[in-house]
Amino acid sequence: MAQQEDNIISHIRQNDMVIQLNAEHQQGVAAKAQVFADEFGMGVYGQLMGLLHDKGKEQSDWQKYIQGVTGYNKAYKNVRIGPHHAYVGAVIAKRQYPCIAPLIAQPIAGHHRGLYDYCDYIEETKCEIPADVEVGKPLHCSLPKWPHLEKYDLHHIIRMLFSCLVDADSLDTEAFMNPGQAKLRGSSTSMSELLKMLEAYLRELKSQAPDSEVNRIRNYVQEQCINASQSKGGYYSLTVPTGGGKTLASVLWALRHAVNNNLHRIIIAIPYTSIIVQTAATLKQIFGEKNVLEHHSNFNPENIKNREMRERMQLATENWDCPIIVTTNVQFFESLFSNRRSECRKLHNITKSVVILDEVQTLPLSFYKPIVHTLDTLRRVFGVSILFTTASQPILSGRIEGSNPMASFDALPDVNEIIPDNAQLHNKLRRVKLEFLEGSQSYDEIASELSNHHRVLCIVNTRKDAKELFHRLPDEGIRLHLSRMMCPAHIEEVIRQLKETLNSKTDEPVRVISTQLIEAGIDIDFPVVFRQEAGLDSILQAAGRCNREGKMKPCTTFVFSLGKEHPLPCGFITQTNNARLNMGQNHDWFAPDVMKKYFKQLHSRIDNFDEKQMESLLYKPECEFEEAANQFRLIDDQTISVLINWRDSLIYYEQLITYGPSYSLMKKLAKYSVSIREPDFKRLQDIGAIEEPYENMYVVKDSNFYKAGTGLTISNQWIEETYII
């Protein structure tokens, strides 16, 4: 027999033993989820999910559990495990709303453990409704009047409804259990207020800027962004060469476009943490720390000095309730394919926003099809406007032609370019010429070439090549090495040292050897750059580090091969290089139409734009949410992370051993970790260099394995043989 509604408990606040009734909680969740889902025309679905999601708590055994585990009723103190309850609301949803059941029953069933694979969802909802649960009468509900839906829309609609439910559930629970924390959420700053801040900043910036050709071009780019921002929602691109003021111009367009189209926030997704850090710092300077959420693995909220602001930003990472979000491509897209509550919670706040995808040419081609289809769904179904920004615009519209007909697919409809073709910005901002060295070179030959230049940057493809060239440079002046064999804190220190050196008036030689980590987003300027052969987009990124400010006479970026040492690594980098080589030599490599030809060449070498088969897992009514989430990993990381001995790392390590892990401490330790491949990890294990204080946490304590110049060394000290990745 069903219990009386006014006796059914949802939560008990233990500090004062106040109860929240289940009816009150469900009504609160329903109201919030309805508001969230209204943004994409499915408010009544949000309401239904809220009213049904915790019906399982009406079970008498669950009521005994909540009273016993909280100490509210000592009669039930031995009841430590409660019955499963999420499935109950899902079963009711399937029975009462059979036509729309998957849209609301899947989110209800998974609102604690995450969205299920289809067979598991069916099995989970086969159960009978417990006798002590009141079913009630169904509300009137009909399908929204959408435009035509594509087969790849459904999984995103279910996931977005899931997001509405879990965020509403979390917020209502928090408001009862921790009202002080709940008051720290949200921001009242509007898009129009942010636009005024940016316009004031730009006026001040222009008043102090000299009347130079570069600054006139930056003003022109901003004017074009202002004009284009009046348009309705859609897909836009901002193709501007390095140095053209792309970052501020894109945010100017986004804010004006948001104001004109009643959009709620700006989300900037960037592939490199180095660019994120620089971009977020600039935006915080303009808009204030409270209006800019920096959300990526290298950001530690503990660095925010103001305690209340620190708590606000930590809370905002949970659901992206902030006017401006700066995050990574990985965070953005993997969340859109996740099945987990914590990662999906923020998704509904992407609706009716402006998404800026920076350096869009870096989107992985092995996931190109599901990514492009996701962008299409965000635009058509969820009211998102999308801006692609880069100096090397890839092909995103029309037919994407792979190496076989099965690989080809239709991409986005027309993408509107903000900068007119006749602007010829690549000519006006031309500060560098490319020179391709003939034949193949050895390490010694390239090192000799580098030694002929007083200030020079050399970018190579692998850690091994970086180490080999670094040790062949003459021991004079300032020599710097950058690779992922160095921990993030070490890389940051070297980059800071490099910037200070370049800005100083030192007459010492400055020679830098780096992997691609310095290729984009690092604001440095060299008169000469050398780049190992690679794809055209990578070469142009490297050229962007050469004469960046245009203050020197036209400078040269040299492209070379290390064919005398080894062939290029098999895989994607060889594909990109071959695509460039197949184009021949007689091109203006900086022209946008040449970049399109390059990407067509590259696409013709790709045999699968959906390598992990998202189409077979998700483009159907029987969605495999969990399996797809496990497969959709933009970075296929086969490495193992090890903590090294450098600077303060062992101090934090001792804190870990003494006090155990915490969020803040693990963030600090991550700054002193290096990821290595399994064979090299095994070498370190074999010579006794690895310790494992906690399961799956590894430490190399011996400082002899970490060099100030090149980072972690995989070394057998007894035979004096060194292996560097």
Side-chain angles (χ1 to χ4, degrees):
M1 180 178 291
Q3 302 184 61
Q4 292 294 317
E5 257 191 13
D6 57 0
N7 293 326
I8 299 169
I9 299 170
S10 182
H11 299 105
I12 299 175
R13 197 167 56 215
Q14 288 179 267
N15 62 337
D16 54 8
M17 286 299 173
V18 174
I19 66 170
Q20 181 187 37
L21 294 176
N22 204 39
E24 178 188 353
H25 174 60
Q26 292 190 132
Q27 289 287 347
V29 174
K32 288 181 174 64
Q34 182 174 13
V35 170
F36 297 156
D38 262 336
E39 294 291 350
F40 49 96
M42 299 186 73
V44 68
Y45 289 59
Q47 181 187 19
L48 285 174
M49 293 187 301
L51 293 174
L52 294 175
H53 80 289
D54 270 357
K55 290 291 287 182
K57 289 183 177 180
E58 295 178 11
Q59 298 170 87
S60 58
D61 284 346
W62 199 93
Q63 289 296 301
K64 292 174 183 176
Y65 156 73
I66 188 67
Q67 293 178 62
V69 79
T70 58
Y72 183 78
N73 189 336
K74 290 184 171 53
Y76 304 126
K77 64 180 180 180
N78 294 324
V79 182
R80 312 307 293 178
I81 300 176
H84 183 37
H85 73 274
Y87 79 92
V88 177
V91 174
I92 296 173
K94 286 183 70 175
R95 179 180 295 182
Q96 293 191 335
Y97 307 97
C99 292
I100 63 166
L103 297 177
I104 60 173
Q106 266 273 32
I108 293 170
H111 79 269
H112 282 299
R113 59 84 67 191
L115 292 168
Y116 289 89
D117 286 340
Y118 185 75
C119 289
D120 295 332
Y121 156 71
I122 292 297
E123 195 64 32
E124 183 74 5
T125 53
K126 275 182 179 177
C127 306
E128 292 297 319
I129 300 170
D132 48 1
V133 171
E134 180 68 52
V135 174
K137 294 181 180 180
L139 298 176
H140 173 72
C141 184
S142 59
L143 285 168
K145 293 181 180 179
W146 280 313
H148 171 71
L149 291 181
E150 300 290 348
K151 61 183 180 180
Y152 48 76
D153 294 335
L154 178 63
H155 74 98
H156 285 304
I157 292 170
I158 294 174
R159 198 179 281 104
M160 199 65 81
L161 285 168
F162 177 61
S163 171
C164 294
L165 174 60
V166 298
D167 192 32
D169 186 23
S170 298
L171 291 173
D172 188 79
T173 301
E174 180 185 65
F176 173 75
M177 299 294 287
N178 193 344
Q181 178 173 294
K183 290 178 181 178
L184 294 174
R185 288 191 180 273
S187 171
S188 59
T189 311
S190 67
M191 293 288 104
S192 57
E193 289 173 311
L194 294 176
L195 177 59
K196 291 176 183 176
M197 294 180 195
L198 178 58
E199 289 174 337
Y201 177 84
L202 291 174
R203 282 194 299 271
E204 178 67 19
L205 198 64
K206 290 174 184 177
S207 70
Q208 299 175 3
D211 182 20
S212 65
E213 177 66 14
V214 168
N215 285 330
R216 285 193 291 271
I217 290 171
R218 289 171 179 169
N219 290 337
Y220 169 80
V221 171
Q222 289 178 19
E223 289 168 4
Q224 295 303 308
C225 286
I226 290 171
N227 295 336
S229 67
Q230 309 297 319
S231 302
K232 293 182 179 180
Y235 313 100
Y236 295 84
S237 60
L238 180 62
T239 307
V240 177
T242 301
K246 172 167 54 73
T247 299
L248 289 181
S250 66
V251 176
L252 176 62
W253 177 88
L255 282 172
R256 293 183 67 95
H257 185 78
V259 170
N260 291 330
N261 291 278
N262 195 29
L263 304 179
H264 305 323
R265 60 181 45 81
I266 312 298
I267 300 170
I268 307 172
I270 300 173
Y272 310 110
T273 53
S274 56
I275 308 179
I276 293 176
V277 171
Q278 289 182 180
T279 301
T282 300
L283 296 181
K284 288 174 184 178
Q285 179 186 354
I286 299 170
F287 303 113
E289 201 162 36
K290 72 173 184 176
N291 292 314
V292 181
L293 172 64
E294 191 175 351
H295 192 189
H296 57 91
S297 59
N298 281 1
F299 180 68
N300 187 355
E302 293 296 323
N303 294 331
I304 300 174
K305 295 179 181 178
N306 182 281
R307 183 186 62 81
E308 182 177 313
M309 185 63 64
R310 180 167 63 247
E311 291 180 15
R312 283 181 181 275
M313 290 298 103
Q314 285 176 317
L315 293 171
T317 61
E318 297 174 352
N319 65 353
W320 282 7
D321 189 6
C322 190
I324 299 175
I325 316 293
V326 189
T327 189
T328 63
N329 285 349
V330 171
Q331 173 81 236
F332 183 76
F333 285 109
E334 288 189 1
S335 295
L336 283 161
F337 281 84
S338 178
N339 73 314
R340 295 173 58 194
R341 176 187 177 108
S342 59
E343 292 179 359
C344 290
R345 182 179 169 183
K346 58 183 171 285
L347 295 183
H348 73 90
N349 276 327
I350 298 175
T351 62
K352 290 197 174 174
S353 66
V354 180
V355 172
I356 300 175
L357 292 178
D358 193 31
E359 302 295 350
V360 67
Q361 79 283 354
T362 63
L363 292 176
L365 293 180
S366 56
F367 289 98
Y368 212 47
K369 183 176 180 179
I371 283 176
V372 169
H373 286 163
T374 295
L375 296 174
D376 190 42
T377 299
L378 289 177
R379 169 69 211 120
R380 288 182 299 100
V381 181
F382 300 112
V384 176
S385 280
I386 299 165
L387 176 66
F388 306 106
T389 66
T390 181
S392 308
Q393 195 67 243
I395 300 171
L396 288 158
S397 60
R399 186 76 176 166
I400 304 294
E401 301 280 358
S403 62
N404 61 74
M406 294 297 292
S408 304
F409 70 99
D410 290 321
L412 304 176
D414 289 342
V415 176
N416 304 292
E417 174 57 52
I418 292 174
I419 305 299
D421 290 341
N422 60 14
Q424 294 288 297
L425 292 188
H426 68 284
N427 278 330
K428 294 176 181 176
L429 285 169
R430 192 184 300 271
R431 303 177 299 277
V432 183
K433 64 177 181 177
L434 295 183
E435 184 172 323
F436 296 85
L437 300 183
E438 293 185 3
S440 297
Q441 287 81 39
S442 66
Y443 291 131
D444 288 328
E445 287 169 339
I446 293 300
S448 177
E449 287 283 345
L450 298 176
S451 302
N452 293 329
H453 299 279
H454 194 68
R455 288 195 171 190
V456 61
L457 166 66
C458 178
I459 302 174
V460 293
N461 296 322
T462 69
R463 303 172 181 186
K464 180 179 186 298
D465 290 339
K467 177 260 180 183
E468 293 287 352
L469 282 173
F470 178 74
H471 284 306
R472 285 168 169 78
L473 290 178
D475 188 12
E476 62 180 15
I478 297 171
R479 299 186 310 155
L480 296 175
H481 166 278
L482 284 162
S483 85
R484 295 294 177 192
M485 288 306 282
M486 300 156 63
C487 66
H490 193 178
I491 290 172
E492 289 175 11
E493 181 177 293
V494 172
I495 290 175
R496 186 164 54 249
Q497 179 189 353
L498 172 58
K499 288 183 176 181
E500 290 172 357
T501 301
L502 293 176
N503 290 330
S504 71
K505 296 182 179 180
T506 179
D507 290 328
E508 288 188 285
V510 181
R511 300 182 180 110
V512 181
I513 308 292
S514 177
T515 58
Q516 299 103 307
L517 70 87
I518 206 171
E519 200 160 79
I522 307 296
D523 189 9
I524 54 173
D525 196 356
F526 279 86
V528 181
V529 170
F530 279 69
R531 179 57 166 97
Q532 188 181 359
E533 59 182 347
L536 179 58
D537 54 332
S538 293
I539 289 171
L540 295 190
Q541 287 284 3
R545 309 310 111 195
C546 185
N547 197 15
R548 184 177 177 84
E549 296 299 321
K551 295 177 180 178
M552 297 170 270
K553 63 182 180 181
C555 299
T556 303
T557 293
F558 296 94
V559 181
F560 64 91
S561 164
L562 285 172
K564 285 186 179 179
E565 299 292 346
H566 56 73
L568 282 178
C570 294
F572 187 66
I573 196 163
T574 295
Q575 287 178 317
T576 62
N577 192 55
N578 288 342
R580 176 185 60 80
L581 291 173
N582 203 53
M583 296 172 67
Q585 290 293 323
N586 297 320
H587 296 286
D588 178 358
W589 296 107
F590 295 89
D593 63 317
V594 173
M595 183 57 64
K596 289 180 181 177
K597 292 175 182 176
Y598 162 73
F599 277 111
K600 282 188 176 180
Q601 282 283 343
L602 179 56
H603 292 169
S604 70
R605 288 163 167 75
I606 305 298
D607 61 7
N608 196 340
F609 293 101
D610 183 16
E611 201 171 84
K612 298 297 183 178
Q613 296 301 305
M614 293 299 112
E615 181 170 11
S616 66
L617 293 171
L618 294 173
Y619 292 18
K620 58 184 182 179
E622 305 84 10
C623 296
E624 309 291 343
F625 286 105
E626 189 165 11
E627 178 63 19
N630 291 335
Q631 294 296 324
F632 194 91
R633 292 288 179 261
L634 295 190
I635 300 175
D636 188 13
D637 193 356
Q638 302 293 327
T639 60
I640 301 169
S641 181
V642 296
L643 179 67
I644 52 82
N645 183 347
W646 188 78
R647 295 287 194 264
D648 296 334
S649 63
L650 293 191
I651 295 175
Y652 298 128
Y653 171 72
E654 292 301 328
Q655 292 176 9
L656 175 71
I657 297 302
T658 304
Y659 303 109
S662 67
Y663 175 83
S664 176
L665 185 56
M666 297 311 289
K667 279 282 188 182
K668 291 174 182 175
L669 288 170
K671 302 282 280 185
Y672 297 95
S673 297
V674 175
S675 294
I676 57 176
R677 287 181 168 81
E678 191 170 342
D680 301 289
F681 178 82
K682 185 69 165 56
R683 290 191 189 110
L684 287 171
Q685 269 191 326
D686 290 344
I687 58 179
I690 296 280
E691 295 183 23
E692 189 177 3
Y694 288 92
E695 186 177 1
N696 295 325
M697 181 178 182
Y698 306 104
V699 183
V700 179
K701 276 189 173 181
D702 190 339
S703 60
N704 290 314
F705 288 91
Y706 197 84
K707 306 299 182 184
T710 54
L712 182 62
T713 297
I714 314 301
S715 176
N716 185 326
Q717 298 175 62
W718 288 271
I719 60 173
E720 296 183 348
E721 183 175 357
T722 300
Y723 303 86
I724 298 283
I725 296 179

